[in-house]
Amino acid sequence: MKPAGFIMKVDRLGRVVIPKPIRNKYELNTDDALEVFIDDNGFFLKKYVKTCAFCGKDENLTDFKDKVVCEDCLKELKGL
Ligand SMILES: [Zn+2]
């Protein structure tokens, strides 16, 4: 990771505003979800894209209990 050239302050409720150039570059829109990743050096945020828990596809998804499953994997599971 490298510095992006922005310094943001955390407000009293713990919120930060993601600078517009970053929102534009990563196509972040209102109500999009972000996923937090951490390591020993800190954390970073990444736009959260739902993917199938089994194959990683991001199309034709269904919520199944606490997992996300694609149509193809769901068919396969039903055949077990
Ligand atoms: Zn799948």
Side-chain angles (χ1 to χ4, degrees), residues 1-2 26 34-39 41-47:
M1 279 191 289
K2 61 182 182 181
Y26 294 98
L34 297 172
E35 188 169 16
V36 181
F37 293 82
I38 58 173
D39 66 18
N41 298 315
F43 68 94
F44 71 95
L45 303 172
K46 186 175 178 187
K47 185 174 181 176

Side-chain angles (χ1 to χ4, degrees), residues 54-69:
F54 296 102
C55 70
K57 273 197 246 173
D58 62 358
E59 295 175 342
N60 302 318
L61 300 173
T62 303
D63 289 314
F64 180 75
K65 298 195 176 184
D66 63 339
K67 304 285 185 221
V68 176
V69 184

